[in-house]
Amino acid sequence: MYTQGLTPETETPVRAIGDEAAMARFQARIDAEQRIEPNDAMPAAYRRTLLRQISQHAHSEIVGMLPEGNWITRAPSLRRKVALLAKVQDECGHGLYLYAAAETLDATREQLYDDLLAGKARYSSIFNYPTPTWADIGAIGWLVDGAAIMNQIPLCRCSYGPYARAMIRVCKEESFHQRQGFEIMMTLARGTDAQKRMAQDALNRWWWPCLMMFGPPDTQSQHSDTSTLWKIKRFSNDELRQKFVDATVPQAHHLGLSLPDPKLHFDEISGHWRYGDIDWEEFRQVLAGHGPCNQERMAARRKAHDDGAWVREAALAHAEKHKARAA
Amino acid sequence: MATPRFPLWEVFIRSRTGLAHRHVGSLHAVDVASALEAARDLFTRRNEGVSIWVVPSASISASDPAEKAMMFDPASDKIYRHPTFYEVPEDVGHM
Amino acid sequence: MSTASISLSKEPLVRFILRRADDALVLGHRLSEWCGHAPLLEEEMALANIALDHLGQARALYTYAAEVEAAGLDEDAYAYRRDPVDYLNVLLVERPNGDFAHTIVRLWLYSAFMSLWWQAMTGSKDAQLSAIAARAVKEVAYHLRHAANWLVRLGDGTAQSHQRTQMALDQLWPYAGEMFTSQPDEEDLIATGIAIDPETLRQAWLTRIMNEAAQALLKMPTAPFSQQGGRSGNHSEAMGHLLAELQFMQRTYPGAQW
C-alpha cells in the first residue's frame, strides 16, 4: 500500500478536485477502469466516501475479533482451537491492511482508532450479536464470512488502488474462513441431537442479522449512487444480498437445517430464492448502539487500549532514548 | 488523550530466492527490530517470504503525479530502444 | 468413545513427553487469552503466532505420546480428558497472564530455557523427539527474540514500565526453578540419551538471563526458586479455572465429535 510517505512534503497529501473540467477528467479515468492512487487528484467527496468505508471496514475487522475470540479458550478440540486462533488473527491482520489503506487518504490510524473508541465511527452491525454457543463459531464462519466475501470480492476491483490491493490480500486469506465455518456446522448437523439443536439455534439467530449486513435496501441507501458512479461499489446492497441468499439456502438444505423464514421460497421464473421482510428497525437499533453486545464490544476494545497505554508509551520512550544514545 | 503516533514503515518482501523484494504494505512500529518482527508476523504467515526489508515511510521520495507527463511520456516514442524496431531476415534465425 | 477422564500412563517416555506437551498447551492457552486484548494491534499478531507455535508443539507431542502409549488415545484425549492432578506442566506456564510485563517476562524466562532445551533435544536418540525438536528450536528462537526485545523496551522505557517489569520478574522468579527439575522416572531416559537433564542447562540459562536483565536495567531477584509442584500434578488455583474453560465442551458433551 502507498502511504503519506510517498507524498512530497510540500504537497497537500491528497489533491482535491474543484472545477468541472477536472471532475470530468477524473470520471473519465474511473470509466476507463484506471485505478486512482493516493497522490492523484480526486474529488473531496471521493476521498471522504472511501475514508469512511475503508475505516469502517477496518474497525469491523478489529471489533469482529471479539465474538469469535470469545471461544478460543473453549474450542472443543485442538484442531478447532488452532484454526479459530489463526482465523481471528487473520482478522486483526485484515484490520491492519485496511487501516494502512485508509492512511493513504490523509488520515492516521491513531485518529481513526480513537474515533472508534470514542464511539464516533461505525463498524459492521453483525459483531454486536453474541456467541453463546460453539455453534456460533460455525455460523459466523459460514454465514458472516460468506456474506463478507460477497461484499469483498467485488471490492478487489474497486477504483481506489490501495483499497483494491488490500482486498485482494484479504480475500486470498479469507478463503479458509468460510470453509472452516461450514465444516463446523456440518460436523454439528451430523452429530448428536444436542449438536443439531445447537446448529439450528445458531442459524436461527444469525440468519436475519446476516441479511442486514448488506445494508439498507437500495430504495433507502444514502451512499450507493456516487459509490457506484465512482466504481467503489460494483453491486447494490440488494443485489449482493440476493446473491448471498441464493448461494446459502442450498447449503443450509445440504446441512439439513431449516431457515427461520416462513416466506422463503424458490421463484422458478427468476431463478432466485425470495426471502421475507427484514426487520430494518432492529438494524437501525443495533447501528444506533442498542444491539445485544454493543456495550461489551466497545468496552473490551477500550479496556485493551487503556490497559496497553503504558506499553505503547514505554516503547516510544525507549525508542527515543535509543535514538538519543545512538546520536 | 490522543493516542501517540508510532512511525510508519514500508515493507518489502522477497517471496523466494532469485526474485526481487516487492512492496507488500505498511505498518506502524517504534523501532527497526519491532518493524521487522511485525512485518514477519503480518505479511509472512503463509510462507510468503524468505527476506524482509523495512524502510521508514518518511525516507521514501516519490515522483509527483502532476509531473507524470514530463517524466514518462518522452520515453514513449523511442521505439528504437526495442528489439522489434530492427529488421532481421527470417532465414537468419533467432537473434 | 469413552467419556470419563483418562488415566495417566506409568510409562516413563509417555510421561516425559506429556510434561513438555502440557507446558506447550498451557502456555499456548494463556497466550491465546490475549487475542483481542493486546496493547497494540501489531502485538495481537505476534502473540497469536507464538500461541499457535506452542499449540502446534503440543499437538505434535501428544500425537507422539499416543503412539508410544498405544492405548487408542489421541491428542484431544490428552489435552481435554485428564483430571487436574494428571497435568504435568510447570507452575510457571499456568500463572495468570497478569499485565503485559508479566506475560513478556514469563515468555522470556521460559523461552530462554526452552531454546536451550530444544537445542539439546535435537540430539535425542529418539528420532521422533529429535525431529520435533528440530522444528521447535526455530520457533522458540523467535519467541525468545521477541520477548527479549520487549523486555528491554519495557525495562528501559518509562518509570512505570520499568516498575511493572521489575515487579513481574520478582513475582515470577520463584517459579523459574521448576524448569530445571527432572523426575525420578526420567533417569533411564537421560542415561540412554533419549531425554536430557535440564539441570545441565541452568548455567547457560542464567548467563543469558542476567545479561538481558542488565540490558533491561532490571535487578536480578534474590528470592529462592521456592515454587514447584506442577510437574507432579500439584497445581495452583488458577489451573482449575484454566481447565474449566479448556475442558468445557468435552466435559459438557461427552463423546461428541467436533
Side-chain angles (χ1 to χ4, degrees):
Chain A
M1 264 142 267
Y2 289 73
T3 68
Q4 303 98 314
L6 297 179
T7 308
E9 273 178 24
T10 49
E11 300 281 342
T12 320
V14 179
R15 292 145 186 273
I17 288 188
D19 67 280
E20 265 176 50
M23 279 296 272
R25 278 199 299 278
F26 178 77
Q27 191 61 48
R29 287 191 64 188
I30 298 274
D31 293 343
E33 294 289 337
Q34 285 186 20
R35 292 286 178 273
I36 306 302
E37 295 296 345
N39 294 355
D40 291 342
M42 65 182 85
Y46 178 81
R47 190 190 79 84
R48 266 200 315 276
T49 302
L50 273 168
L51 184 57
R52 187 186 59 239
Q53 182 169 336
I54 300 172
S55 58
Q56 282 180 7
H57 199 158
H59 299 329
S60 301
E61 297 281 355
I62 298 302
V63 177
M65 296 170 72
L66 296 169
E68 290 175 284
N70 181 35
W71 277 93
I72 291 170
T73 57
R74 291 178 296 165
S77 72
L78 292 179
R79 182 172 177 271
R80 295 289 180 214
K81 196 184 189 73
V82 292
L84 181 59
L85 179 52
K87 176 179 189 287
V88 178
Q89 182 198 37
D90 272 352
E91 280 152 17
C92 181
H94 299 168
L96 288 171
Y97 303 154
L98 287 160
Y99 280 127
E103 285 189 288
T104 65
L105 293 161
D106 199 16
T108 66
R109 192 218 292 179
E110 289 80 2
Q111 184 56 51
L112 296 172
Y113 202 68
D114 286 348
D115 286 350
L116 171 71
L117 297 182
K120 287 191 243 167
R122 277 183 175 174
Y123 56 90
S124 176
S125 57
I126 197 75
F127 300 117
N128 291 313
Y129 290 87
T131 55
T133 79
W134 170 251
D136 293 312
I137 301 309
I140 289 182
W142 170 39
L143 300 172
V144 176
D145 289 308
I149 288 167
M150 292 285 168
N151 243 318
Q152 289 174 170
I153 286 179
L155 286 172
C156 296
R157 294 187 293 128
C158 163
S159 62
Y160 189 57
Y163 194 23
R165 288 192 288 276
M167 291 320 299
I168 288 170
R169 207 174 173 97
V170 168
C171 286
K172 208 158 88 184
E173 295 188 355
E174 279 208 351
S175 53
F176 98 84
H177 294 184
Q178 192 186 12
R179 289 171 70 109
Q180 69 94 35
F182 189 77
E183 196 192 86
I184 290 172
M185 290 305 269
M186 204 163 56
T187 310
L188 295 175
R190 290 176 184 166
T192 63
D193 287 347
Q195 286 175 303
K196 282 181 198 148
R197 185 174 155 212
M198 200 188 281
Q200 183 64 56
D201 164 69
L203 173 55
N204 292 349
R205 283 182 288 109
W206 288 96
W207 176 252
W208 290 109
C210 279
L211 296 193
M212 295 173 197
M213 270 177 80
F214 295 94
D218 296 349
T219 48
Q220 294 170 25
S221 181
Q222 304 166 21
H223 309 298
S224 280
D225 291 349
T226 44
S227 287
T228 306
L229 187 68
W230 286 331
K231 297 196 196 289
I232 296 170
K233 221 175 146 77
R234 300 248 174 194
F235 297 97
S236 76
N237 293 353
D238 285 335
E239 283 168 342
L240 289 168
R241 189 165 14 245
Q242 186 64 56
K243 266 167 102 119
F244 172 74
V245 172
D246 289 342
T248 311
V249 171
Q251 293 166 358
H253 293 158
H254 180 89
L255 293 171
L257 299 174
S258 54
L259 292 155
D261 178 0
K263 289 189 182 161
L264 186 77
H265 66 279
F266 189 70
D267 177 23
E268 295 284 352
I269 299 162
S270 66
H272 290 301
W273 285 91
R274 296 298 180 200
Y275 48 90
D277 298 328
I278 295 171
D279 180 359
W280 291 112
E281 182 51 28
E282 174 180 323
F283 178 69
R284 274 186 288 274
Q285 287 299 327
V286 175
L287 276 189
H290 310 305
C293 297
N294 295 59
Q295 293 183 27
E296 286 95 321
R297 300 293 182 245
M298 291 315 295
R301 271 300 167 194
R302 278 187 203 119
K303 181 172 190 314
H305 194 71
D306 293 347
D307 289 353
W310 69 269
V311 177
R312 297 187 300 274
E313 282 159 20
L316 278 169
H318 180 263
E320 285 304 315
K321 283 191 216 176
H322 199 72
K323 249 187 256 167
R325 273 176 222 154
Chain B
M1 190 186 83
T3 307
R5 287 215 73 188
F6 278 26
L8 196 62
W9 304 72
E10 299 305 315
V11 181
F12 300 81
I13 289 185
R14 186 199 296 286
S15 56
R16 52 191 167 83
T17 52
L19 298 182
H21 286 76
R22 195 168 158 230
H23 184 238
V24 293
S26 43
L27 52 80
H28 291 266
V30 279
D31 51 34
V32 177
S34 58
L36 278 169
E37 286 176 19
R40 179 254 197 195
D41 289 325
L42 186 57
F43 292 108
T44 68
R45 301 198 301 292
R46 288 173 171 82
N47 268 318
E48 292 99 329
V50 294
S51 166
I52 300 175
W53 289 348
V54 290
V55 181
S57 303
S59 301
I60 292 182
S61 306
S63 63
D64 185 344
E67 295 177 346
K68 199 169 121 203
M70 173 192 87
M71 293 282 280
F72 306 111
D73 287 357
S76 68
D77 65 349
K78 311 292 193 290
I79 50 174
Y80 45 80
R81 287 198 172 104
H82 300 280
T84 47
F85 180 73
Y86 302 95
E87 268 181 45
V88 176
E90 236 166 72
D91 54 348
V92 174
H94 180 74
M95 188 178 282
Chain C
M1 191 200 219
S2 161
T3 59
S5 298
I6 63 166
S7 52
L8 188 62
S9 167
K10 299 248 183 312
E11 162 72 35
L13 181 56
V14 173
R15 287 187 175 230
F16 174 73
I17 299 166
L18 289 180
R19 286 176 192 123
R20 184 55 57 213
D22 290 349
D23 281 0
L25 173 72
V26 173
L27 185 53
H29 185 99
R30 283 292 185 224
L31 289 167
S32 78
E33 290 173 353
W34 275 104
C35 187
H37 311 284
L40 57 156
L41 296 177
E42 278 80 2
E43 191 60 17
E44 297 269 6
M45 304 298 294
L47 292 173
N49 267 353
I50 297 172
L52 286 168
D53 284 345
H54 280 110
L55 294 171
Q57 291 173 10
R59 295 182 71 190
L61 290 163
Y62 286 138
T63 301
Y64 183 45
E67 195 186 311
V68 175
E69 188 171 357
L73 300 173
D74 60 12
E75 57 176 21
D76 289 335
Y78 289 119
Y80 293 95
R81 287 176 30 227
R82 275 180 288 161
D83 287 340
V85 292
D86 290 334
Y87 285 82
L88 302 176
N89 56 281
V90 293
L91 296 179
L92 178 67
V93 294
E94 75 193 47
R95 301 298 303 151
N97 281 333
D99 65 9
F100 187 66
H102 264 78
T103 291
I104 288 298
V105 169
R106 186 234 315 263
L107 184 64
W108 168 64
L109 293 171
Y110 181 77
S111 303
F113 171 76
M114 285 309 295
S115 73
L116 297 165
W117 196 87
W118 283 121
Q119 187 59 54
M121 283 298 289
T122 56
S124 169
K125 292 282 190 297
D126 183 303
Q128 192 68 38
L129 287 176
S130 149
I132 294 172
R135 180 166 187 84
V137 77
K138 296 181 228 169
E139 293 173 345
V140 71
Y142 187 81
H143 306 167
L144 179 55
R145 155 91 63 87
H146 187 76
N149 282 343
W150 267 116
L151 186 88
V152 174
R153 268 181 220 119
L154 298 179
D156 184 15
T158 61
Q160 187 190 16
S161 72
H162 176 81
Q163 189 200 352
R164 282 174 181 267
T165 312
Q166 183 67 56
M167 192 193 291
L169 179 57
D170 292 344
Q171 290 180 356
L172 288 166
W173 187 254
Y175 294 90
E178 193 177 11
M179 295 189 292
F180 300 97
T181 59
S182 54
Q183 306 304 307
D185 63 4
E186 289 172 0
E187 268 176 38
D188 285 351
L189 296 173
I190 293 168
T192 53
I194 289 171
I196 55 152
D197 180 357
E199 186 54 41
T200 60
L201 309 175
R202 188 192 289 263
Q203 202 46 55
W205 176 81
L206 196 59
T207 305
R208 170 152 202 153
I209 291 295
M210 286 171 68
N211 183 20
E212 285 172 348
Q215 281 180 54
L217 311 182
L218 298 169
K219 279 205 294 286
M220 290 301 294
T222 49
F225 290 141
S226 52
Q227 301 293 339
Q228 38 185 297
R231 279 276 186 260
S232 41
N234 294 318
H235 292 281
S236 61
E237 291 178 355
M239 184 69 174
H241 293 280
L242 185 151
L243 289 177
E245 272 194 67
L246 180 80
Q247 298 186 337
F248 165 64
M249 292 295 285
Q250 294 262 349
R251 297 295 197 182
T252 309
Y253 304 97
Q257 298 291 310
W258 301 100

